[in-house]
Every structure is written in structure tokens, then in C-alpha cells.
Amino acid sequence: MFKYGVEQLTIKKVKDIANGTLKGSLTNTAIDRVNSCRKKVEVMAKGNKAVYGINTGFGPLCDKQIAPEKTQKLQENLLISHAVGVGKPIDKELSKIMMICKVHALCQGYSGVRLSLIERIIYFIENDLLPVVPEQGSVGASGDLAPLSHLFLPLIGEGDFWIEDAICSAKEVLSSHGLIPLQLEAKEGLGLINGTQFILAHAIKGLDKMEYLLDLADVSGTMSLEGFQGSSAPFKKALHEIRPFSGNLKVAKRIRKLLKDSQNIESHLECNRVQDPYSIRCMPQVHGASRNAYYHLKELTGIEMNSVTDNPIVLSETEAISGGNFHGQPLAMAIDYVALAASELGNISDRRCYLLLEGKYGLPRLLTENEGLNSGYMIPQYTTAALASENKSLCFPSSADSIPTSLGQEDHVSMGSISGRKLNQILENIEKILAIELMFAVQAMEFRRPNTFSKIIEENFAIVRSRVNKLEDDRILKYDIDNMIDLVKNRSFIVR
């Protein structure tokens, strides 16, 4: 049981709530906070003092005071007018993560929404009523206005839900559940659509995927090292203790573990090679730098998912501060940094793929013994090169851009929504690149038999061979690549 608005939310807890293995609950503490804040809003809504978003218009219309009897229409218009997203719908999982994060923020008692509104969102979460949200349209301040508007249109009977893989109108779905559309009250529309939950959901999804891919990159790189018969010396503890970046130390330690008791390593300790190419011996420095970026974004995401990011923030019956907690810049810049870090995992992996094809140190060229008649693994490296190049083009930092909106009232925006989307595109490409490297590495390791490898490497070797046979003569490799990608996406490899 997770206590919304009271306990600290983590990436794991978000994932567990989303997949139903952890239940989110409303405690008396959270209920009291929500009800107390709501009373403050009701007092302000009835007063003569202009309070942004409660009895005024929005954005450049903040100087237009709205009569109390028009409050409901004002909030409804807010959702309707801001639902201007375009493009393909985001993954259903992202819609659910957005709702979980929004509930947690609302339950902290600074947003002024009614308890019944929060209870309806929780009903959506628990019954897999997932709104359809277009992927484009947010500039990342005043939060993710367009996607959050689409996310919460179904509360008022507008917009659409996913039912299985079909899109159904919210009116029909609410009716089938015996639910009546809600009428929004003062501050509620603004409390729903101000916030960074679109950016945040993409960061959460990206971090969850990247954690596995960082570990998998160490495994695939080590298997390539074994196929290449590279040196284990660059991973010695003493070397990394004198340049102790946390990511570097972790990668070096992991590679030492992955190489432990390798007969293959022992078989060439007395060879005449002085050093390996950077893509082999610099894995702790390169993979480690990507880990350091991951650690940074994970820390910031932990802060953000436990923060209140709407506007205004209600502090008392007389004070509602119109600040900038909705601005996506704190996450946007770090996501751009992590996108670059993720791209580098693919960049160095592609280099290792190329290295294994060169026919050095006992490996046949193109990893085939029948070259000429057969092209072997020549062409899949074209695919890793294409994916690595595509990732580089996606690394332009979205947060470096800002286009004024709202007649200049919102004159600096984060573009963090674009950062989040690009990060997840890059990570999908990394899955494909590492899948191909693993296929190459296992083929190279075949030529080192009868040498054996560490227990964990042998287990991963067997996982590859369970779906992809040794390449003897040319065949359609698309099927092998798809099988490998499926193994990576399903996290079938043993990485720890």
C-alpha cells in the first residue's frame, strides 16, 4: 500500500502502482490536507481580491477578473481550450504514469482541488481507464498544458479512453462504468493541467529502461571483449581508484565480475598485444560517464515526482502564490544530458561490432569462415551505424531552445516534453544496437571454443543461442535480429 501525498514516490513504486502490484491509497492525513486546502480556495473564490486562476483568466488574460457565478465555466473552458495536442498518442503506460504522479502531487494539499476529483482519477488508474494523449503540443511551461488537458478531459466527459487497443469516447466509457462527468469548480482546471507530469512520465520510463540497458551494455561489451580476446588489465581496481568517478568504478567492478574464472582470458595472458582499441579498454570511462548522467537525472526525477508543480500554490486563505514551479527546465536540461549519454552507449557498441568484423587475432573476417560466397555479418553493422547516426541527430538539446508563447507572458519555456520524447526514441535504438552486438559477440566467442567463459557470460551465450543459431552460410538475418531485439526488450538477459 502506497500513501499518496504522504510517502515518497520512487520509480519502482510508480511502476508497481501502474502494473497493479502496489495499491495507492488515500490516508486521513492526505484527505485532511486536500480538504483544508480546498476550503482556502473556496474562501478566495468568493472574495473580491483577484487571485490568478481562481477568479481571473489565464496567461495574458490574468488581468480579467471573473464573476463567481462563472467559475465553473471558466475551469471547463480551460481544459477544452488547452486540449490542442497533435501527433500519435503516447503509450498507454505513460498516460497511467502521468495520472499516478498527478494524484501524488494533488494529495500534498497545495493545489486546492476537491477530494472527489482525486478519487475519480484514482478510479481511472485502478480500472485501467487510460485517456488518449497526443504526443506533441507541450512546450514544457506552464507545465505540460496540452497533454495534461487531454489526460483530464474524460473527467468532464470529453476526450477519449483506450479500451484494449481501440479508442472510445469518454462519454460512452463513463456511462458503461456508471459514472457521471464531473463539474469542475474554482482552481481545479488549473490544478489539473499545470504541472510537469508529461515530462516526468517520460523521464521515469526512460530511467527505468536505461538502468537495464546500462547493465546490458556492460554485458555485451564484455562478451565482445571475450570474442576479441581483449585484455582484462584495463579494469583493475587500482587503476580506477585513482580516478574514482562513481560510474567508472561501477562499470570496472562489473566487468571484473563478468570476466571472473574465464578460461578464455587465461588462455592469452602471455600474448604480445600491448593494448586494445578504446571501444574495449575504455568501457569503464565511456559506459561510466553514461552512468554518471543517469545518476544525475535519477536524483532530479526523485525530487520532481515528490514535488508540487502546478500554479498557483495555495498557502492560506489570503495567499496563493503564482510562481514558476511548473517550469520544466530542471528536468529538461538533465534529460538532454542523459539523451547524449544514452546515445554514447550505442556509439561505442557500434564500434565494437565493427571491430569484431575486421578479422584480427584469430577471428575470420566478417565472422564467417566462408567469406566471398558469404557476406557473414557485414551488413548488420550497417544497421548499427544507421541507428547510431540517427541517435546523434536526436541529441540536439531541446532545452537550448525557447519560443515565447501566451502573448509574451510565457516568454521562456523549457521544451522538456520534446527532450523526454527524444530520450525514449534514443533508448529504443540502443535496444536494437545492443541486440546486434550481442549476436556478433556470441558468433565471435564460437571461434574461441573450447575455451569457456564466466558462469554469467555462458548463461547469456546460451540465451542468445536459444533464439539465434551460429551463422555458417548466409541466411535472412532480419529474423535473427528481430529475435535478439525481442530478447532485449523483454529483459531476458542476465545482467547482474
Side-chain angles (χ1 to χ4, degrees):
M1 191 73 73
F2 174 75
K3 301 173 183 177
Y4 283 121
V6 177
E7 295 182 331
Q8 288 288 295
L9 200 54
T10 65
I11 293 172
K12 185 179 186 306
K13 288 176 182 176
V14 170
K15 295 280 290 184
D16 288 347
I17 295 170
N19 64 32
T21 58
L22 178 66
K23 182 177 174 63
S25 67
L26 287 172
T27 63
N28 289 335
T29 300
I31 291 170
D32 290 345
R33 288 175 182 173
V34 169
N35 288 337
S36 174
C37 190
R38 181 63 206 167
K39 289 176 183 177
K40 296 169 187 173
V41 167
E42 289 171 351
V43 170
M44 284 187 278
K46 294 174 183 176
N48 295 322
K49 181 182 176 181
V51 184
Y52 176 72
I54 294 178
N55 57 13
T56 73
F58 309 106
L61 304 177
C62 60
D63 56 352
K64 299 291 184 181
Q65 196 156 350
I66 308 299
E69 63 271 16
K70 295 182 179 179
T71 295
Q72 290 182 339
K73 187 63 176 175
L74 174 69
Q75 299 300 316
E76 180 182 314
N77 282 350
L78 181 64
L79 248 68
I80 292 171
S81 66
H82 285 62
V84 293
V86 296
K88 296 183 298 183
I90 62 173
D91 290 346
K92 289 178 272 189
E93 176 190 27
L94 285 169
S95 293
K96 200 168 194 180
I97 292 172
M98 287 173 71
M99 289 195 290
I100 291 166
C101 291
K102 176 59 81 171
V103 167
H104 186 54
L106 295 176
C107 283
Q108 294 181 51
Y110 293 96
S111 302
V113 303
R114 289 168 298 161
L115 181 64
S116 58
L117 190 75
I118 296 172
E119 290 173 334
R120 177 63 60 86
I121 301 171
I122 292 174
Y123 183 90
F124 288 174
I125 294 168
E126 293 181 346
N127 290 274
D128 279 329
L129 297 183
L130 307 179
V132 178
V133 178
E135 66 180 356
Q136 295 170 300
S138 170
V139 296
S142 301
D144 296 307
L145 294 172
L148 284 168
S149 295
H150 286 280
L151 187 73
F152 294 121
L153 276 177
L155 289 171
I156 61 173
E158 301 293 341
D160 300 293
F161 282 113
W162 289 106
I163 301 299
E164 300 292 338
D165 291 323
I167 294 176
C168 301
S169 76
K171 286 186 176 68
E172 292 177 21
V173 175
L174 292 179
S175 177
S176 70
H177 281 256
L179 300 174
I180 299 171
L182 298 177
Q183 176 69 61
L184 298 182
E185 300 288 348
K187 177 66 170 67
E188 291 185 328
L190 203 57
L192 289 170
I193 74 168
N194 254 232
T196 61
Q197 282 77 32
F198 183 88
I199 301 172
L200 180 57
H202 281 79
I204 289 169
K205 181 179 179 180
L207 285 167
D208 178 67
K209 181 175 288 188
M210 189 170 176
E211 181 180 30
Y212 180 75
L213 294 179
L214 282 164
D215 287 346
L216 186 61
D218 295 343
V219 171
S220 66
T222 303
M223 293 175 78
S224 290
L225 180 154
E226 287 281 31
F228 191 69
Q229 285 197 330
S231 172
S232 61
F235 315 108
K236 287 187 176 179
K237 184 178 181 182
L239 178 67
H240 296 281
E241 285 180 336
I242 58 175
R243 197 191 189 201
F245 290 108
S246 57
N248 303 34
L249 289 168
K250 173 128 183 181
V251 173
K253 182 179 180 180
R254 282 175 49 76
I255 293 176
R256 289 196 301 272
K257 179 182 176 182
L258 291 165
L259 293 174
K260 187 178 180 183
D261 300 325
S262 168
Q263 187 186 85
N264 189 54
I265 289 290
E266 294 292 327
S267 73
H268 61 91
L269 286 178
E270 304 303 322
C271 69
N272 295 324
R273 287 159 59 186
V274 176
Q275 58 179 220
D276 296 318
Y278 289 0
S279 61
I280 296 289
R281 65 180 160 115
C282 295
M283 282 191 284
Q285 290 79 11
V286 178
H287 292 191
S290 295
R291 280 187 183 271
N292 292 334
Y294 162 83
Y295 294 148
H296 182 53
L297 179 59
K298 186 177 181 181
E299 177 189 0
L300 298 183
T301 300
I303 294 170
E304 189 78 339
M305 73 176 81
N306 291 291
S307 298
V308 180
T309 59
D310 65 278
N311 182 65
I313 301 300
V314 180
L315 298 180
S316 70
E317 292 179 355
T318 59
E319 186 176 22
I321 298 177
S322 186
N325 278 14
F326 51 71
H327 204 293
Q329 195 81 347
L331 283 188
M333 292 179 69
I335 292 171
D336 283 333
Y337 171 31
V338 170
L340 173 62
S343 178
E344 277 300 282
L345 292 177
N347 205 12
I348 195 170
S349 175
D350 166 69
R351 293 298 80 214
R352 291 191 295 262
C353 289
Y354 187 93
L355 192 65
L356 293 175
L357 299 180
E358 290 184 311
K360 292 182 177 180
Y361 310 120
L363 291 177
R365 284 202 308 173
L366 306 176
L367 294 175
T368 178
E369 294 172 300
N370 302 306
E371 63 169 314
L373 179 63
N374 294 291
S375 295
Y377 278 129
M378 181 198 301
I379 304 304
Q381 191 268 323
Y382 287 37
T383 304
T384 63
L387 292 166
S389 180
E390 182 178 316
N391 279 349
K392 293 171 193 175
S393 72
L394 291 168
C395 281
F396 178 83
S398 301
S399 59
D401 186 31
S402 176
I403 300 175
T405 57
S406 195
L407 301 182
Q409 182 73 7
E410 297 162 13
D411 57 353
H412 183 280
V413 297
S414 76
M415 301 297 179
S417 62
I418 304 169
S419 303
R421 287 171 47 226
K422 290 200 295 99
L423 169 61
N424 283 278
Q425 285 178 265
I426 288 170
L427 290 169
E428 286 186 9
N429 288 337
I430 298 300
E431 289 178 325
K432 298 165 187 172
I433 294 171
L434 293 180
I436 292 172
E437 182 187 1
L438 285 159
M439 184 174 70
F440 278 32
V442 165
Q443 180 79 359
M445 290 164 66
E446 292 277 12
F447 297 105
R448 304 308 183 183
R449 295 299 191 188
N451 290 343
T452 59
F453 310 94
S454 70
K455 182 176 182 293
I456 188 171
I457 294 297
E458 289 284 5
E459 288 172 337
N460 283 307
F461 183 101
I463 290 169
V464 172
R465 282 289 171 256
S466 71
R467 300 289 296 275
V468 174
N469 294 326
K470 181 182 178 183
L471 184 65
E472 302 283 1
D473 295 306
D474 281 355
R475 59 177 182 253
I476 298 176
L477 292 175
K478 168 74 165 77
Y479 307 130
D480 292 351
I481 292 170
D482 286 346
N483 284 336
M484 290 299 302
I485 293 170
D486 185 60
L487 288 171
V488 172
K489 284 186 174 295
N490 289 316
R491 304 188 185 184
S492 302
F493 290 100
I494 303 162
V495 295
R496 292 180 186 172

